[in-house]
């Protein structure tokens, strides 16, 4: 019996030793890094976050084999600023990617705004550590600054060795027979003004011909010319959105203009597969930035009508299938245990995306609000799933505040890199938390912006376990009580469309995650102390901000024909190199 006990003890020690040795070896080597980022996906749209009607077995597999975060927060509720924060680990207001006007995302490939060249992305730092870096899918961080081929904002100028995808984002305009999505209200006004001018010209001409109006033909001609120039000035951009914005690029070359949506998903998947195969000896960074599940929700025939949630559910299930194909490739190539994999969404689901009674946007679970709302949880709380077999414990759930900005220091740490010392990095390294070596998030305060306007602040009071959240500004829902800004497309950040709160609305998310019952000094003894502490945190945060050029200014977001990416001679921009 004594010998048997000694044998068991020796075997146990040996097992622990080899496990620790394997873990150490895995941590010492540089893992491949695979990042999945969905577009407009709600936290309530996938199975591992409680949805039992949309089938997402592959994303659920990641959660089952890894770590799931329940308080994963986007730094902004819209694509362009949220992705800028993801790539740089910094609040978008620090890089100039936060807007003070109503244009809160880039509007054109031919705009001059975008992620500044002096911002250092995680791709750049991993490139310096010997990684081959690739981006497949959506960019939406700008293309050029002063000429169509300077590519100052292009992925290849921000640390990616290879790019295949959309420099912009999907829009309804990219699909035939869909209602326009880009600047609809402005287009309606421009059409009205053009029609008024045309009617005036016809009236003057008729009046002159029948002798009712005494006016010189030269004046009518000048008026006609001015009207024609006005029409051309706006229709040359808004009349050809499909050609100007809906394009595919490989590195610096335009390959489809306009893109063929019916084969885009298969092309993206093929490119991701080929990148992994080319670089299977690693290390590599692959950022798969899905065009799913943004409108127009173009879905291939294989998935149409297969879900229980119409076109939106079909699109989610197609994206999950693509995730599965890439994960299967990792298994086949023997890369699964040597790849750090991450899945998230850039912000919450788009509640206002509707076609009649059909919902074309995501579901944000129990959380109030959605895309475009800087403060409410539904706009910024997103899925966050990690997997690294043998290093991260499988089946783990972490209920601590984390941010999409945390990916930056996390992957830089895994690659053996050093964070920039000349700027503020707002993200925190998640590795200790993901491995279970730390029990609490390093974030004490998180600041929730809508454009460049601070709407809310979150305080993780670690000693008590409370997660306080104060709303200083909230959008005015339309119709009242609807929970979104229906009829407007997206909720505004300022002006008559918001309400300012003094004192702010206060919630304890640990007790009220749905933000249903605001606290007051009468119902919460710590109300005044919490508000004072948050006020001090805001002052300290603002002292760290420095003025930078606003990349989303009206001038920077407007269409400039001399910046238009074009596969032929502008304005004859039409090609299908993929088909060729």
């Amino acid at each position: 019996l004594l010998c048997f006990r000694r044998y068991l003890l020796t075997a146990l020690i040996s097992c622990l030793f080899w496990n620790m040795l394997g873990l150490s070896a895995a941590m010492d080597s540089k893992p491949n890094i695979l990042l999945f980022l969905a577009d407009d996906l709600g936290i309530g749209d996938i199975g591992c976050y409680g949805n039992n009607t949309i089938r997402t077995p592959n994303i659920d597999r990641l959660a089952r084999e890894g770590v799931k975060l329940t308080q994963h927060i986007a730094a902004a509720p819209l694509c362009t600023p949220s992705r800028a924060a993801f790539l740089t680990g910094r609040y978008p207001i620090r890089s100039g990617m936060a807007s003070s006007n109503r244009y809160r995302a880039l509007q054109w490939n031919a705009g001059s705004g975008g992620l500044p060249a002096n911002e250092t992305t995680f791709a750049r730092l991993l490139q310096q550590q010997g990684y081959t870096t690739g981006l497949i899918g959506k960019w939406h961080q700008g293309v050029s600054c002063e000429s169509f081929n300077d590519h100052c904002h292009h992925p290849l100028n921000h640390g990616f060795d290879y790019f295949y995808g959309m420099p912009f984002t999907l829009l309804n305009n990219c699909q035939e027979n869909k209602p326009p999505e880009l600047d609809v209200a402005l287009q309606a006004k421009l059409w009205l003004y053009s029609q008024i001018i045309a009617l005036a010209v016809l009236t003057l001409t008729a009046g002159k011909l029948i002798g009712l109006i005494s006016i010189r033909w030269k004046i009518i001609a000048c008026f006609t010319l001015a009207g024609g120039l006005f029409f051309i000035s706006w229709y040359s951009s808004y009349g050809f959105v499909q050609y100007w914005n809906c394009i595919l690029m490989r590195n610096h070359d335009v390959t489809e203009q306009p893109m063929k949506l019916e084969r885009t998903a298969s092309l993206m998947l093929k490119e991701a597969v080929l990148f992994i195969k080319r670089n299977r000896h690693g290390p590599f960074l692959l950022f798969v930035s899905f065009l799913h599940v943004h409108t127009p929700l173009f879905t291939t025939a294989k998935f149409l009508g297969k879900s229980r949630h119409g076109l939106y559910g079909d699109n989610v299930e197609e994206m999950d299938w693509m995730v599965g194909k890439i994960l299967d490739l990792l298994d086949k190539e023997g890369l699964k245990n040597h790849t750090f994999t991450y899945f998230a969404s850039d912000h919450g689901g788009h509640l206002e995306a509707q076609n009649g009674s059909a919902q074309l946007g995501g579901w944000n679970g129990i959380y109030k609000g959605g895309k475009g709302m800087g403060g409410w949880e539904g706009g910024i709380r997103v899925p966050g799933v990690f997997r690294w077999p043998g290093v991260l414990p499988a089946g783990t759930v972490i209920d601590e505040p984390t941010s999409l900005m945390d990916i930056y220091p996390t992957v830089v740490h895994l690659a053996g890199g050093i964070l920039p010392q000349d700027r503020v990095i707002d993200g925190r390294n998640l590795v200790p938390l993901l491995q279970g070596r730390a029990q609490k998030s390093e974030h004490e305060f998180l600041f929730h912006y809508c454009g460049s306007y601070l709407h809310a602040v979150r305080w993780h009071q670690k000693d008590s376990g409370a997660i306080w959240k104060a709303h200083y500004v909230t959008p005015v829902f339309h119709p009242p009580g609807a929970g979104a800004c229906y009829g407007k497309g997206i909720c505004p950040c300022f002006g008559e469309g918001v309400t300012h709160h003094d004192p702010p609305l206060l919630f304890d998310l640990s007790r009220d995650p749905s933000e249903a019952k605001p606290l007051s000094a009468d119902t919460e003894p710590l109300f005044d102390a919490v508000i004072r502490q948050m006020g001090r945190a805001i002052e300290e945060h603002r002292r760290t901000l420095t003025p930078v050029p606003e990349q989303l200014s009206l001038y920077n977001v407007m269409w400039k024909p001399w910046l238009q990416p074009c596969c032929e001679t502008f304005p004859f921009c039409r090609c299908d190199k993929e088909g060729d």
Side-chain angles (χ1 to χ4, degrees), residues 562-578:
W562 60 91
L563 296 183
Q564 180 60 50
C566 185
C567 58
E568 299 293 344
T569 302
F570 182 84
F572 306 105
C573 304
R574 187 182 184 95
C575 63
D576 181 8
K577 297 179 183 178
E578 296 294 345

Side-chain angles (χ1 to χ4, degrees), residues 458-519:
R458 178 184 317 249
W459 177 24
H460 182 209
Q461 193 177 14
K462 300 179 184 180
D463 55 348
S464 71
I467 301 174
W468 306 104
K469 188 172 172 196
H471 290 261
Y472 297 87
V473 184
T474 57
V476 177
F477 291 148
H478 178 81
C485 299
Y486 297 105
K488 293 187 177 181
I490 204 163
C491 288
C493 296
F494 60 93
E496 296 180 356
V498 302
T499 300
H500 294 263
H501 301 280
D502 187 14
L505 302 178
L506 182 67
F507 301 91
D508 180 1
L509 298 181
S510 65
R511 293 178 286 170
D512 182 18
S514 300
E515 299 173 289
K517 299 177 181 178
L519 303 170

Side-chain angles (χ1 to χ4, degrees), residues 518-539:
L519 303 170
S520 67
D522 296 328
T523 60
E524 176 51 64
L526 296 175
F527 183 90
D528 292 329
V530 169
I531 297 302
R532 283 196 301 271
Q533 182 66 22
M534 287 185 163
R536 288 191 288 268
I538 292 171
E539 291 176 5

Side-chain angles (χ1 to χ4, degrees), residues 224-527:
T224 303
L225 178 62
L229 291 174
F230 171 75
F231 177 76
I232 292 171
S233 69
W234 71 266
Y235 194 77
S236 60
S237 56
Y238 288 110
F240 300 91
V241 173
Q242 188 176 18
Y243 287 87
W244 303 152
N245 280 348
C246 306
I247 68 175
L248 289 181
M249 296 182 76
R250 177 177 284 106
N251 296 326
H252 291 140
D253 299 324
V254 178
T255 61
E256 283 188 10
Q257 192 167 15
M259 58 198 289
K260 314 294 184 190
L261 291 182
E262 61 272 13
R263 66 186 183 205
T264 300
S266 61
L267 287 174
M268 297 296 170
L269 179 58
K270 181 188 78 171
E271 290 287 340
V273 166
L274 290 176
F275 181 89
I276 293 173
K277 287 184 175 182
R278 285 197 305 268
N279 299 286
R280 60 184 177 276
H281 299 299
F284 66 77
L285 160 71
L286 176 57
F287 177 19
V288 180
S289 180
F290 286 108
L291 303 180
H292 299 64
V293 287
H294 198 291
T295 50
L297 301 175
F298 191 91
T299 307
T300 53
K302 178 180 178 181
F303 292 92
L304 280 177
K306 298 299 175 63
S307 81
R308 293 165 57 186
H309 286 275
L311 186 57
Y312 182 83
D314 298 344
N315 206 240
V316 173
E317 293 188 1
E318 180 178 50
M319 178 187 66
D320 178 81
W321 172 80
M322 294 171 70
V323 170
K325 286 295 182 183
I326 296 171
L327 296 181
D328 290 344
L329 177 66
L330 294 182
D331 291 346
K332 181 180 178 182
E333 297 289 343
L335 299 175
K336 175 180 177 179
N337 293 342
H338 198 59
T339 302
F340 178 85
T341 304
Y342 168 75
F343 178 89
S345 177
D346 56 356
H347 49 69
H350 191 185
L351 300 181
E352 295 91 349
Q354 295 179 321
N355 183 15
S357 61
Q359 180 65 27
L360 301 180
W363 182 52
N364 300 312
I366 65 171
Y367 306 109
K368 181 181 290 187
K371 175 180 177 177
M373 304 181 206
W376 295 120
E377 286 292 283
I380 54 178
R381 191 182 289 220
V382 297
V385 179
F386 297 83
R387 186 188 75 173
W388 188 4
V391 178
L392 303 184
T396 303
V397 178
I398 296 176
D399 190 27
E400 286 285 305
T402 58
S403 170
L404 263 69
M405 296 184 292
D406 297 339
I407 301 307
Y408 184 98
T410 299
V411 299
V412 171
H413 168 79
L414 294 175
I418 299 174
L419 294 177
Q421 302 299 305
D422 61 344
R423 64 198 66 192
V424 176
I425 300 296
D426 298 297
R428 299 291 182 265
N429 178 15
L430 290 177
V431 171
L433 187 67
L434 296 175
Q435 288 188 302
R437 293 186 285 115
Q439 302 304 312
K440 296 291 184 181
S441 165
E442 290 188 32
H443 289 289
E444 184 177 9
F445 294 96
L446 286 170
F447 303 92
H448 306 307
Y449 282 90
C450 186
S452 61
Y453 302 91
L454 185 66
H455 275 205
V457 177
R458 178 184 317 249
W459 177 24
H460 182 209
Q461 193 177 14
K462 300 179 184 180
D463 55 348
S464 71
I467 301 174
W468 306 104
K469 188 172 172 196
H471 290 261
Y472 297 87
V473 184
T474 57
V476 177
F477 291 148
H478 178 81
C485 299
Y486 297 105
K488 293 187 177 181
I490 204 163
C491 288
C493 296
F494 60 93
E496 296 180 356
V498 302
T499 300
H500 294 263
H501 301 280
D502 187 14
L505 302 178
L506 182 67
F507 301 91
D508 180 1
L509 298 181
S510 65
R511 293 178 286 170
D512 182 18
S514 300
E515 299 173 289
K517 299 177 181 178
L519 303 170
S520 67
D522 296 328
T523 60
E524 176 51 64
L526 296 175
F527 183 90

